[in-house]
Amino acid sequence: MPVLANNLSLTAGSQSINVFDNSNYQFINEGTELRISAAVVGANDGVQGANVNYRFTINNTEFADDAIVPALVTGEPFTDGAASYRTNSVIATGQARNRPLLVFRNQTAGTLIVKYYVFISQQA
């Protein structure tokens, strides 16, 4: 099964591009499962609006908007199976061609690293 995974360096106040852009999965078929895992390398425990947050949508359906990305925990592997880093698990419905969006935003005063791992099930 396909996977999109990378580390993003986000400077203070910046936002990533859509991680699905310019990939083979910028459009996905109906019935495709997406499992999103993410973690911030460093503390991410500020008040709302002062964290690294993410937005995840498929078409016009909002699954997360300004949701806090969990901090990476020493000794806990960052894998698809790590439940503490799983931020969303959804199956695309509604139409034959679905457009996922996943962006990260750093609302802290410093540069932070975000790790993400997106599992994409077999395309029907």
Side-chain angles (χ1 to χ4, degrees):
M1 305 304 150
V3 167
L4 299 176
N6 208 343
N7 295 333
L8 300 171
S9 178
L10 295 176
T11 58
S14 69
Q15 178 173 301
S16 73
I17 63 166
N18 180 3
V19 303
F20 292 95
D21 280 354
N22 301 316
S23 76
N24 291 336
Y25 307 101
Q26 57 189 346
F27 293 98
I28 57 172
N29 296 335
E30 181 179 8
T32 301
E33 179 186 10
L34 296 177
R35 291 194 308 253
I36 313 293
S37 298
V40 175
V41 179
N44 197 35
D45 55 2
V47 296
Q48 179 69 20
N51 292 290
V52 175
N53 301 315
Y54 76 100
R55 180 174 184 226
F56 174 54
T57 66
I58 298 178
N59 300 331
N60 293 326
T61 304
E62 195 87 50
F63 294 99
D65 186 20
D66 219 17
I68 296 172
V69 177
L72 189 65
V73 177
T74 302
E76 188 169 341
F78 183 75
T79 65
D80 181 52
S84 59
Y85 304 124
R86 175 73 43 82
T87 55
N88 290 92
S89 181
V90 299
I91 296 175
T93 60
Q95 60 189 34
R97 234 172 107 100
N98 294 280
R99 178 86 164 107
L101 171 99
L102 176 62
V103 294
F104 297 94
R105 184 173 57 198
N106 182 359
Q107 296 177 310
T108 69
T111 299
L112 290 173
I113 306 293
V114 175
K115 301 172 81 63
Y116 69 87
Y117 184 103
V118 180
F119 168 88
I120 304 162
S121 71
Q122 187 83 27
Q123 297 280 304

